[in-house]
């Protein structure tokens, strides 16, 4: 199965710790997107990356959040000094080009 | 910026009933439209999409949607629902403007089908 892979599926962190979420796109896909889903809400766009480039980060919080998609390896969404409000499901999607995006299973982050 | 409204937050139907879930968007330019479904414990799956052409789009599992440009709507329909259709349904809009490729999602509609 060459679907979008995300790990870990569940992540528990204490306030102030760092969270690293990984996303491996589908084979042949060079576009990666990160979305966040807060409880009782729809998915909200965070960032769009291509290999080694951040194309659109208009949905990223200004502080503590960063994303990368290196030449080799998965895309990483990094949250520094997590707070309770960061608790959410984080979804990664990938595409070849255009808007048809395929989603991974998500990482559920819980901040204690 | 575009926005998407899904008017029904929770819909409860009996098996074999007909389904229509509303979706309206606001954006003045060309859009691509999607319906995604999220079954319990699973990830988002694409039900159907509209890029151009025939405004009546057929998707998987007997679902269809109609794009009405004048109403900025893309409602999802199914003539006869099954218990296995119980899931959360998300409407999404994509625009291609410059480098933008993001999808804007509605808040979702939870569909419960009673056996």
């Amino acid at each position: 199965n060459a679907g979008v892979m995300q790990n870990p599926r569940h992540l528990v962190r204490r306030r102030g710790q760092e969270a690293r979420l990984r996303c491996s796109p589908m084979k042949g896909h060079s576009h990666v997107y990160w979305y966040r889903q807060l409880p009782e809400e729809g998915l909200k766009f965070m960032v769009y990356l291509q290999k080694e480039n951040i194309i659109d980060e208009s949905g990223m919080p200004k502080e503590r959040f960063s994303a990368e998609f290196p030449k080799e390896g998965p895309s990483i969404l990094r949250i520094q000094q997590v707070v309770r409000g960061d608790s959410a499901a984080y979804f990664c999607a990938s595409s070849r080009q255009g808007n048809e995006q395929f989603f991974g299973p998500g990482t559920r982050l819980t901040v204690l | 910026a575009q926005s998407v409204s899904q008017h029904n937050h929770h819909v409860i139907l009996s098996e074999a009933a007909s389904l229509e879930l509303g979706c309206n968007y606001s954006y003045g330019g060309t859009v691509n439209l999607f319906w995604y479904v999220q079954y319990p414990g699973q990830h988002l799956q694409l039900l159907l999409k509209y890029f151009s052409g025939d405004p009546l789009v057929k998707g998987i599992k007997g679902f269809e949607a109609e794009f009405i440009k004048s109403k900025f709507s893309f409602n999802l329909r199914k003539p006869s629902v099954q218990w296995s259709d119980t899931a959360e349904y998300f409407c999404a809009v994509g625009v291609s403007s410059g480098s933008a490729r993001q999808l804007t999602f509605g808040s979702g509609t939870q569909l419960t089908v009673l056996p």
Side-chain angles (χ1 to χ4, degrees), chain B residues 83-100:
Chain B
W83 176 79
S84 58
D85 293 324
T86 294
E88 189 151 21
Y89 293 80
F90 294 93
C91 180
V93 168
V95 299
S96 296
S97 174
S99 61

Side-chain angles (χ1 to χ4, degrees), chain A residues 11-19 64 79 81-88 90 108-112:
Chain A
L11 183 61
V12 179
R13 286 286 178 266
R14 297 191 180 279
R15 281 179 296 171
Q17 291 184 319
E18 179 180 286
R64 302 186 298 108
I79 312 172
Q81 300 175 336
V82 296
V83 300
R84 289 221 174 102
D86 297 333
S87 294
Y90 292 83
R108 275 157 178 77
L109 172 66
T110 301
V111 179
L112 302 177

Side-chain angles (χ1 to χ4, degrees), chain A residues 51-79:
Chain A
K51 286 284 187 182
E52 300 185 278
N53 285 304
I54 297 174
I55 307 301
D56 180 359
E57 56 181 346
S58 58
M60 285 280 268
K62 299 300 180 193
E63 297 178 348
R64 302 186 298 108
F65 285 71
S66 62
E68 62 178 14
F69 188 18
K71 187 176 180 181
E72 301 291 337
S75 175
I76 306 287
L77 179 68
R78 183 180 173 206
I79 312 172

Side-chain angles (χ1 to χ4, degrees), chain A residues 9 31 33 35 37 40-45 48 55-56 58 91 97-106 108, chain B residues 32 34 36 38 41-46 49 51 88 90 94-96 99-108:
Chain A
R9 295 291 305 275
H31 302 240
Y33 314 79
Y35 294 84
Q37 185 179 29
E40 307 298 322
E41 294 186 17
L43 281 75
K44 297 284 194 281
F45 168 78
Y48 161 42
I55 307 301
D56 180 359
S58 58
F91 290 92
Q97 59 186 352
N99 291 130
E100 185 171 356
Q101 298 175 17
F102 296 83
F103 283 80
R108 275 157 178 77
Chain B
N32 300 322
F34 307 82
Y36 283 87
Q38 188 174 27
Q42 297 188 27
H43 59 280
L44 283 165
Q45 300 174 38
L46 183 65
K49 63 189 179 192
F51 281 13
E88 189 151 21
F90 294 93
V95 299
S96 296
S99 61
R101 292 290 184 270
Q102 61 178 275
L103 295 180
T104 300
F105 283 83
S107 56

Side-chain angles (χ1 to χ4, degrees), chain B residues 2-3 12 17 19 36 40 44 58 60 65 67 70-71 92-93 100 104:
Chain B
Q2 61 273 21
S3 65
I12 302 174
L19 170 72
Y36 283 87
L44 283 165
K58 294 196 183 298
I60 61 172
F67 171 47
S70 61
K71 294 185 178 181
V93 168
T104 300

Side-chain angles (χ1 to χ4, degrees), chain B residues 21 31 54 74 76 79 85 115:
Chain B
L21 301 182
V31 294
D54 188 344
F74 189 56
L76 181 71
D85 293 324

